[in-house]
Amino acid sequence: MSKSNAPLIEVRDLVKNFGPVIALNGVSLSVNAGEVLCLLGDNGAGKSTLIKTLSGVHKPSQGDFLVDGEKIAFESPRDALNAGIATVYQDLAMIPLMSITRNFFMGREPLKRVGPLKFMDMGFADKVAREEMVRIGIDIRNPQQAVGTLSGGERQCVAIARAVYFGAKVLILDEPTSALGVRQTSMVLKYIFQVRQKGLGVIFITHNVRHAHAVGDRFTVLNRGKTLGTYAKSEIELDDLQNLMAGGRELQDLSAELSGTV
Amino acid sequence: MSAEVKSDERLGQESTLRHLLSKPEFGALAGTILVFLFFGMTAQGSGMFAADGILNWTTVSAQLMILAVGAALLMISGEFDLSLGSMIGFAGMMIAIPTIYFGVPVWLSVVLAFAGALGIGFLNGLIVVRTGLPSFIVTLASLFILRGLTIALSILFANRTIVGGVREAAEGTFVGWLFGGKVGGAFFVFLAEQGIINKLPNGAPSVPGIPMVIVWAVVIAILAGIVLSRTHYGNWIFASGGDAKAARNVGVPVNAVKISMFMLTAFCATVYAACQVFEFGSAAADRGLLKEFEAIIAAVIGGCLLTGGYGSVIGACLGALIFGVVQIGILFTGINNDWFRVFLGVMLLFAVLFNNFVRRRVTGER
Ligand SMILES: Nc1ncnc2c1ncn2[C@@H]1O[C@H](COP(=O)(O)OP(=O)(O)O)[C@@H](O)[C@H]1O
Ligand SMILES: [Mg+2]
């Protein structure tokens, strides 16, 4: 890990505009080595936009982005991957027509030299894709099979296995368990735990309080493009977490409202 | 963590047929077999399967193959190039006019023609990726611009739209041989001596050698096939056409890939043009008319999806072969040539329906 005690990733007062739309309006967060940061917030709060900025898809409009304590500006997702930041996007970034192996290594193809030429090492790629899928609890019949033939949950597992395989420093997961069954979900949570033990930093977005509480060390709450605050696990109860998920007090108000009407 | 692999009962159950069906070139392979069976029966004794007959349809297929391979790779990367045919006319004139009217050495004209074509391919690609407009529209514009330019510039510089005399200018030069020459002459003399192939009345073998256009087709097909299926760049080509956004999110340089594929089709068009110019000894402003459609049809018959992300080089080659065999076979069997178009249309329709079916199988759509 980095010699200094600087966080693996830190952003300060990050702003992201899409033309007139202000998706992020002053977001600050940090992730340390060996820590799981849960990113909470309602739909449209800007969580996906934030992690896409961290993974090089979007460029921030304003604000600082530091990796290992040094300012950085990613030109493309490739730069982020090279810096050891791997992401499971909410829409997975999987191509249905391509095989599992080709998807798994898309953009990061393993090469083997033959004389002066370099070819894609298909044998190695198939082997790794299959092994990594087994590790996540899915025995794919054939790594050459198109991703389109997999179920939603299986696709999600391919995306997660891929990010875990390539994430050397930070793993970012945007609602990774939304399409998963019980068994795969617990597998993913175990994974997050393991990755953390290895000293990586994890950013985990979920709408499930119990999942967040089970693996999270700290919780950063996002509301309408702004960070409301960051709480350590010791500071917070499951119930409060539930409220924070919805981006503040709204849920309590709602339950008060409901109990009022009943 | 339980890393133990239980042998899945569903594993290894995939039948050979299902495996074959999931290959893009399956339809084209079946089509090729059918076409050969058909002409094998109907064109018997017509000379279609004698040495010179074989050379005839092989040459026609090879010419189209050069274009189809380029079109297929571009289509797999998610784009079209409708200016392919116009590019052929343009590149031909770029070779002929400087050579004949400005005394530029033949080799230099050829180099300039390739450079110009690659530049135009680059521009096509750049406009498409920068504007996000469908390549269909952008290259439709290039189709007219290039064809118009070819005719206008030909008249401006040469005062005609057919420029001859290139054969004489290229006599004995390396480039003349590279595009218009033949290889294996001695081998065919030997075959004729052995009585394996026929001799012409003057004693020369009925086939004087393999035209370089066939060599080009084979070399381009092999290289493109290797790049597409065996290199990381091939993976990027599939990814760019399969879903450009997803590909970008994992770091594939989609724009560069697409632009390079536009340059590849321009390159293929120029190879085709050069082979024609040095074979006929002339360039004409209307060369390559409608070739863009033939190339796209061959690629689609070969299993490429119009929507991108799926296809193969071998399929495109088989598509071109079917095209050539039917075109020439119809001449040999004396079937009215109008039937060629009917056949082509029907074939295309079947290919698209079949590809659609395959796509649904592959992507699991219902
Ligand atoms: N590419 C884009 N162009 C314009 N607006 C966008 C874009 N991406 C996201 N937004 C907007 O930014 C806001 C935050 O979206 P998002 O980050 O997806 O929220 P979340 O993931 O928290 O549900 C939304 O209002 C959305 O419409
Ligand atoms: Mg989201």
Side-chain angles (χ1 to χ4, degrees):
Chain A
M1 296 300 100
S2 61
K3 274 168 261 146
S4 64
N5 283 328
L8 294 179
I9 287 188
E10 183 173 6
V11 293
R12 295 183 196 137
D13 302 320
L14 200 73
V15 176
K16 176 66 197 174
N17 306 322
F18 295 105
V21 180
I22 305 170
L24 299 177
N25 191 13
V27 172
S28 303
L29 63 75
S30 64
V31 192
N32 298 304
E35 173 187 73
V36 177
L37 177 77
C38 285
L39 197 55
L40 312 175
D42 211 352
N43 287 323
K47 305 182 296 296
S48 296
T49 308
L50 174 59
I51 63 98
K52 280 185 178 162
T53 312
L54 300 181
S55 45
V57 175
H58 299 318
K59 283 179 205 159
S61 309
Q62 277 173 48
D64 293 338
F65 183 2
L66 296 87
V67 172
D68 287 333
E70 288 184 26
K71 276 198 192 177
I72 204 159
F74 291 144
E75 286 301 314
S76 83
R78 183 171 274 283
D79 292 346
L81 279 163
N82 287 340
I85 301 170
T87 307
V88 178
Y89 297 98
Q90 193 166 9
D91 55 14
L92 300 184
M94 286 275 141
I95 299 183
L97 283 166
M98 281 164 64
S99 71
I100 295 170
T101 301
R102 283 183 177 276
N103 266 290
F104 196 99
F105 287 95
M106 182 166 61
R108 315 225 91 201
E109 293 79 5
L111 300 177
K112 66 170 178 228
R113 296 189 84 94
V114 178
L117 306 172
K118 285 190 197 142
F119 296 95
M120 190 170 162
D121 193 343
M122 272 297 180
F124 172 81
D126 279 340
K127 185 169 124 319
V128 171
R130 182 137 200 277
E131 282 171 5
E132 294 301 310
M133 289 304 288
V134 167
R135 260 159 54 84
I136 207 167
I138 291 184
D139 187 8
I140 46 173
R141 280 142 272 182
N142 169 12
Q144 306 272 2
Q145 144 187 24
V147 158
T149 58
L150 301 177
S151 73
E154 286 170 324
R155 282 184 214 195
Q156 220 160 34
C157 287
V158 179
I160 294 166
R162 174 173 72 181
V164 169
Y165 183 74
F166 288 113
K169 198 190 286 174
V170 178
L171 182 63
I172 302 177
L173 304 145
D174 193 353
E175 303 194 26
T177 53
S178 60
L180 296 188
V182 179
R183 200 168 69 92
Q184 250 86 43
T185 301
S186 68
M187 200 67 95
V188 169
L189 296 179
K190 260 194 236 167
Y191 242 56
I192 293 176
F193 200 75
Q194 275 185 353
V195 165
R196 189 190 104 180
Q197 294 299 91
K198 280 201 295 183
L200 277 75
V202 180
I203 300 179
F204 179 38
I205 300 178
T206 177
H207 281 298
N208 188 311
V209 204
R210 282 185 296 132
H211 294 171
H213 201 254
V215 296
D217 295 307
R218 289 192 303 140
F219 306 89
T220 293
V221 184
L222 219 60
N223 190 346
R224 301 171 64 83
K226 283 194 172 127
T227 29
L228 289 186
T230 298
Y231 309 87
K233 193 171 191 166
S234 54
E235 301 169 0
I236 199 162
E237 298 286 316
L238 206 66
D239 272 356
D240 301 330
L241 209 53
Q242 177 78 64
N243 291 333
L244 289 173
M245 284 275 178
R249 298 279 118 194
E250 284 130 23
L251 212 67
Q252 249 180 14
D253 299 345
L254 184 67
S255 62
E257 235 170 75
L258 284 177
S259 58
T261 54
V262 173
Chain B
M1 182 156 295
S2 68
E4 187 191 320
V5 191
K6 296 183 266 70
S7 178
D8 194 316
E9 66 282 4
R10 293 167 298 189
L11 201 65
Q13 295 267 326
E14 202 178 44
S15 72
T16 322
L17 180 68
R18 284 173 78 91
H19 179 69
L20 267 182
L21 258 174
S22 68
K23 297 241 174 227
E25 60 271 11
F26 174 79
L29 190 62
T32 309
I33 294 171
L34 274 179
V35 162
F36 273 103
L37 279 179
F38 177 78
F39 286 107
M41 287 188 293
T42 57
Q44 244 176 11
S46 67
M48 182 174 170
F49 295 100
D52 47 346
I54 292 176
L55 190 73
N56 198 332
W57 51 258
T58 313
T59 306
V60 172
S61 303
Q63 288 170 339
L64 184 57
M65 206 180 279
I66 292 172
L67 304 177
V69 169
L73 258 59
L74 180 64
M75 205 186 284
I76 294 170
S77 81
E79 306 293 342
F80 288 103
D81 187 356
L82 294 184
S83 67
L84 185 69
S86 303
M87 181 63 86
I88 293 169
F90 189 74
M93 279 300 182
M94 279 205 289
I95 294 171
I97 291 178
T99 305
I100 304 300
Y101 290 91
F102 297 98
V104 176
V106 167
W107 67 268
L108 186 57
S109 302
V110 171
V111 169
L112 290 176
F114 271 100
L118 290 175
I120 293 168
F122 177 83
L123 264 183
N124 272 337
L126 191 69
I127 295 172
V128 168
V129 301
R130 278 289 153 82
T131 61
L133 289 170
S135 49
F136 180 82
I137 294 299
V138 172
T139 59
L140 187 63
S142 323
L143 180 157
F144 286 106
I145 294 172
L146 274 182
R147 185 66 75 189
L149 265 183
T150 307
I151 297 171
L153 291 180
S154 303
I155 288 177
L156 186 68
F157 288 118
N159 201 24
R160 64 192 67 201
T161 57
I162 300 178
V163 176
V166 184
R167 207 200 310 264
E168 293 70 28
E171 194 72 60
T173 62
F174 174 68
V175 278
W177 170 80
L178 188 61
F179 294 101
K182 291 185 169 55
V183 290
F187 178 64
F188 286 99
V189 171
F190 168 78
L191 287 182
E193 295 298 325
Q194 300 298 311
I196 296 171
I197 61 171
N198 295 330
K199 287 183 187 177
L200 297 177
N202 66 5
S206 62
V207 173
I210 295 177
M212 284 305 286
V213 66
I214 295 180
V215 176
W216 274 102
V218 170
V219 170
I220 288 177
I222 289 175
L223 288 182
I226 290 174
V227 167
L228 186 64
S229 62
R230 292 273 169 266
T231 70
H232 73 286
Y233 207 77
N235 212 35
W236 293 358
I237 295 173
F238 280 117
S240 301
D243 184 341
K245 183 169 153 261
R248 279 195 189 99
N249 282 356
V250 294
V252 175
V254 172
N255 290 357
V257 169
K258 290 193 171 189
I259 290 175
S260 72
M261 291 300 107
F262 276 103
M263 293 171 76
L264 174 72
T265 52
F267 173 84
C268 292
T270 311
V271 170
Y272 179 101
C275 288
Q276 281 213 327
V277 167
F278 290 109
E279 196 198 328
F280 299 149
S282 69
D286 65 348
R287 286 272 167 77
L289 209 62
L290 294 183
K291 284 292 169 196
E292 59 279 356
F293 288 111
E294 292 185 15
I296 290 171
I297 291 170
V300 169
I301 290 176
C304 289
L305 288 182
L306 290 159
T307 42
Y310 193 73
S312 73
V313 169
I314 185 106
C317 292
L318 290 174
L321 184 62
I322 292 176
F323 216 105
V325 169
V326 173
Q327 197 171 1
I328 299 301
I330 275 178
L331 293 179
F332 271 100
T333 46
I335 303 171
N336 188 324
N337 200 21
D338 297 332
W339 289 104
F340 173 59
R341 289 191 201 153
V342 176
F343 172 84
L344 210 64
V346 172
M347 186 87 191
L348 181 63
L349 193 60
F350 270 106
V352 172
L353 286 174
F354 182 78
N355 289 351
N356 208 25
F357 162 76
V358 170
R359 195 209 35 222
R360 279 206 228 123
R361 267 190 46 92
V362 171
T363 60
E365 280 173 35
R366 277 180 241 284

